[in-house]
Amino acid sequence: MPRTARPPESATADSAFIDEGKETMRLMRSPKLTGTKERPFTLSGDLIDLFSKDRKLNRVIARANATAVSDSLTLKSDTIDLRMKNDLLDHAYAWGMTSRARAVSPSQNMLADSLDVYMPGQ
């Protein structure tokens, strides 16, 4: 029997709610989403919501103490909203209600009330 490949993402949380009909998932209490494809990343927050359409992930929102870490960027904010297109990250939005959005890369350090980062095919 052939073995199936490990999925490119994994998620952990203390609690999870899944609605297969609406294609949504809510991860609660120390949730973490980890990507293991060519460009690994980690997304965490107090609450993470995942949305899909036709069984393809198209949006992930991390709320409260949201942090996204990759090899080239660390993004921190109250809320981080990631949008996928063709199974790749296309857009990242970050904004704060109680704190500012911060993006740190090896060459830049940005602090703003909100960030809109366009990353086609990432």
Side-chain angles (χ1 to χ4, degrees):
M1 175 179 259
R3 292 176 53 157
T4 57
R6 182 176 165 180
E9 290 86 22
S10 66
T12 59
D14 180 63
S15 303
F17 174 78
I18 300 170
D19 186 329
E20 289 185 31
K22 292 182 180 177
E23 295 191 60
T24 62
M25 177 186 294
R26 172 165 277 181
L27 303 173
M28 299 162 281
R29 302 181 70 169
S30 302
K32 185 184 289 187
L33 182 65
T34 304
T36 59
K37 285 187 177 179
E38 296 82 30
R39 297 189 67 192
F41 71 91
T42 302
L43 177 67
S44 61
D46 292 349
L47 178 74
I48 297 178
D49 289 313
L50 298 97
F51 303 89
S52 60
K53 184 174 181 177
D54 298 325
R55 300 174 103 23
K56 287 193 174 231
L57 185 64
N58 61 15
R59 186 176 184 192
V60 179
I61 303 174
R63 292 183 173 91
N65 302 308
T67 303
V69 178
S70 72
D71 62 348
S72 61
L73 178 70
T74 298
L75 184 59
K76 291 185 177 191
S77 189
D78 288 341
T79 304
I80 296 175
D81 184 346
L82 305 176
R83 309 287 177 98
M84 276 61 68
K85 189 176 196 179
N86 300 321
D87 294 327
L88 298 171
L89 184 59
D90 185 68
H91 228 107
Y93 303 96
W95 66 91
M97 298 294 282
T98 61
S99 67
R100 303 186 110 196
R102 178 180 295 272
V104 178
S105 73
S107 62
Q108 295 183 347
N109 185 355
M110 296 173 53
L111 181 65
D113 64 343
S114 61
L115 293 169
D116 179 350
V117 183
Y118 180 59
M119 303 177 289
Q122 295 292 315

